[in-house]
Amino acid sequence: MNLLIYDAMVVTMEEGDPWFCPGYVFIEENKIKAIGKGRPTEKFFSRAQKVIKATDKLVMPGLINAHNHAAMSLLRGVADDLPLDKWLHEYIFPIESTFVNEEFVYWGTLLAGWEMLSGGTTCFADGYFCEDGAVKACVDLGIRAILAQGIIDFPAPGVPEPEQNIAHAEQFLKKWQGYSDLITPALFAHAPYTCSASTLKRAKRLAQTYQTFLFIHVAETNWEVEQIKKEHGLTPVAYLENLGILDERTIIVHANWLSEEDIKIIKDTGVGVVHNPESNLKLASGLCPVPDLLSKDIPVVLGTDGPASNNNLDMFQEMDKTAKIHKGIKLDPITMPAKQVLEMATVIPSDIFKLNTARLKENALADIIIINLKQPHLYPIYNPHCHLVYTTDGADVETVIVNGKVVIEEKKLVCVDIEKIRHKIIDLAVKIKQKLKSPDAE
Ligand SMILES: [Zn+2]
């Protein structure tokens, strides 16, 4: 379908000429075919099957959430205000071992996808188990996703025998590679302390064979750094480099505890880094030295982490926190300016994941959001980049387009019945609550 958006404030995220008002964007099938200042000529109106008059609205590329465990939306609020170790071993892992299956992942990902789309996220990277369910949910919703099948060296949902974890992951890649324009199947090795050296090497080899991404939590806590040093005599980053698994298609998540030497390895190997400020703050696990990495041109992108450790998936909040936390740590208000933070949720992840979204320009894939500016907290506007980072939140997003298709229209989900999602989620949550009351119940 051809779609014309006009009379908008357009934030392109392109170099040089970043924003203008009024402006227009013309979409043909799944790509941007024209973008310009002023009023579009009549030919665009006559070629469009759908026209959106975006007066008092801001049009920009959709946001990219680079780290999530989307199905954990079903565990939102199940256990809060706990240290990571206790949170994982006493709550999350036992509940997951009882409940997580393909159906759980389907409905949990639908809920998370509904939340993400509603808040202007048009693409996310996920790492979880039973990811077949996530693929189906994302295709139903029409959201773009890099979906990584989990690999861990103990019994996991869908993979009761850990020695089958790599074979199972390969089946996942085989099944979904090339299935949909929206989906990039990938791999997620949980962490250096839950996967053996052999598992990590085999996971990387598999990712290379299928030319896809390998995600891994790395240096999330100081405990992990001490543990890996004790076992292997190296920091987690140096240990992974030693195993040969770091390259441009490896994405390390968290990277909170880094030595100077670790930063050098990250730079030299070209890995991408995902910063998850809200999850890291909530679990008090440490914070990635983002300004130091960005100053060395290391690609750092933003993620929410799972909804059980955040507890929302609003990338606008994540951007706001990122800018402010690092100014506070550095005692420097100039560090992490708004435009740079905005790039961490748009163009940088688009480049890392080779998506060709996140810049409004001719022939880019049309992943676009429209924000309603007619609200008290959004007046007046002097600098849209600062406005998007410090003032806007997900609830201000009104219309969302993914791959040229409208998936949120005036705040309503287009492709899936939200009542159906709500009922199923309430149903599943009742069962989870029963398990929490009697931990031994199956
Ligand atoms: Zn995570």
Side-chain angles (χ1 to χ4, degrees):
M1 186 174 73
N2 296 346
L3 171 61
L4 174 65
I5 306 163
Y6 78 105
D7 203 27
M9 174 177 282
V10 181
V11 174
T12 66
M13 294 311 295
E14 275 264 76
E15 298 279 330
D17 193 15
W19 68 277
F20 43 85
C21 184
Y24 66 91
V25 181
F26 181 72
I27 299 164
E28 200 173 272
E29 297 295 328
N30 64 341
K31 286 189 175 155
I32 296 171
K33 275 294 158 197
I35 176 163
K37 296 175 182 171
R39 188 181 161 84
T41 55
E42 282 312 309
K43 73 170 182 188
F44 290 114
F45 285 94
S46 58
R47 281 168 60 193
Q49 275 104 38
K50 186 176 176 70
V51 175
I52 298 175
K53 187 167 192 278
T55 312
D56 295 319
K57 291 173 187 178
L58 184 151
V59 176
M60 67 173 290
L63 302 175
I64 300 169
N65 179 350
H67 182 60
N68 201 345
H69 311 289
M72 291 178 82
S73 61
L74 280 161
L75 306 182
R76 191 196 322 262
V78 98
D80 292 321
D81 305 330
L82 294 169
L84 176 65
D85 187 46
K86 197 175 163 84
W87 178 78
L88 266 179
H89 290 96
E90 293 182 23
Y91 291 87
I92 300 300
F93 287 157
I95 294 172
E96 285 183 334
S97 71
T98 307
F99 291 103
V100 177
N101 54 27
E102 194 179 320
E103 189 197 12
F104 177 104
V105 171
Y106 175 78
W107 289 102
T109 307
L110 270 188
L111 175 63
W114 171 22
E115 180 186 353
M116 283 189 279
L117 286 173
S118 301
T121 294
T122 50
C123 176
F124 72 107
D126 198 52
Y128 208 55
F129 301 97
C130 302
E131 282 288 273
D132 288 354
V135 174
K136 290 171 191 167
C138 292
V139 170
D140 285 355
L141 287 163
I143 192 168
R144 197 180 296 283
I146 298 114
L147 299 173
Q149 168 65 30
I151 294 167
I152 197 164
D153 278 337
F154 55 79
V159 196
E161 293 161 355
E163 54 278 13
Q164 291 300 314
N165 55 15
I166 300 292
H168 190 86
E170 179 161 21
Q171 278 170 19
F172 174 78
L173 296 180
K174 243 188 213 160
K175 189 169 176 182
W176 301 113
Q177 207 165 50
Y179 171 76
S180 161
D181 287 351
L182 294 175
I183 307 299
T184 305
L187 301 177
F188 163 55
H190 179 263
Y193 61 94
T194 50
C195 295
S196 69
S198 153
T199 297
L200 292 170
K201 283 200 274 193
R202 289 166 67 218
K204 184 62 196 175
R205 225 174 296 134
L206 182 59
Q208 283 165 335
T209 304
Y210 285 82
Q211 298 187 328
T212 192
F213 302 100
L214 174 68
F215 294 81
I216 180 166
H217 293 137
V218 180
E220 181 172 6
T221 61
N222 199 22
W223 171 86
E224 175 191 332
V225 175
E226 293 308 315
Q227 188 68 19
I228 298 294
K229 274 187 184 166
K230 207 157 66 186
E231 278 179 38
H232 305 285
L234 294 165
T235 63
V237 170
Y239 167 62
L240 295 179
E241 194 219 6
N242 224 27
L243 294 179
I245 76 159
L246 300 183
D247 64 23
E248 285 173 1
R249 285 186 187 265
T250 300
I251 314 293
I252 63 172
V253 178
H254 300 306
N256 293 333
W257 297 84
L258 301 177
S259 66
E260 278 302 315
E261 182 56 25
D262 290 337
I263 294 175
K264 194 174 173 311
I265 292 171
I266 289 170
K267 171 71 184 166
D268 291 347
T269 52
V271 295
V273 176
V274 188
H275 179 41
N276 306 273
E278 290 200 342
S279 170
N280 292 158
L281 285 170
K282 183 161 177 275
L283 292 166
S285 44
L287 284 166
C288 178
V290 177
D292 300 345
L293 300 187
L294 288 174
S295 72
K296 294 185 166 56
D297 286 329
I298 291 168
V300 186
V301 296
L302 294 183
T304 55
D305 210 351
S309 63
N310 187 305
N311 296 0
N312 67 63
L313 301 174
D314 188 341
M315 286 294 289
F316 286 98
Q317 288 186 17
E318 226 62 46
M319 290 195 290
D320 178 71
K321 295 280 190 320
T322 300
K324 289 175 181 165
I325 289 165
H326 295 286
K327 290 179 201 306
I329 293 172
K330 290 277 183 193
L331 298 176
D332 178 8
I334 296 167
T335 200
M336 309 283 301
K339 173 93 187 303
Q340 186 176 38
V341 174
L342 207 49
E343 286 170 353
M344 293 168 71
T346 52
V347 294
I348 304 176
S350 170
D351 291 347
I352 288 186
F353 298 132
K354 303 178 193 336
L355 294 171
N356 188 27
T357 64
R359 288 178 183 88
L360 301 189
K361 62 174 186 179
E362 272 178 49
N363 289 320
L365 292 172
D367 289 8
I368 293 173
I369 62 176
I370 304 178
I371 293 164
N372 177 13
L373 298 173
K374 245 177 153 175
Q375 304 184 71
H377 63 286
L378 296 177
Y379 284 107
I381 298 187
Y382 298 108
N383 178 327
H385 297 131
C386 292
H387 228 55
L388 289 166
V389 171
Y390 298 122
T391 316
T392 310
D393 69 35
D396 301 324
V397 175
E398 198 174 73
T399 300
V400 178
I401 296 154
V402 180
N403 214 32
K405 195 171 159 196
V406 177
V407 289
I408 297 277
E409 188 157 27
E410 296 189 7
K411 292 184 166 280
K412 291 195 179 70
L413 194 58
V414 173
C415 304
V416 183
D417 176 4
I418 60 161
E419 285 310 308
K420 221 167 121 186
I421 303 177
R422 270 182 8 90
H423 284 126
K424 190 69 189 181
I425 295 307
I426 291 165
D427 206 40
L428 285 163
V430 167
K431 295 185 180 120
I432 294 167
K433 273 183 202 157
Q434 279 164 359
K435 162 84 177 169
L436 285 172
K437 274 186 207 141
S438 65
D440 297 329
E442 281 302 307

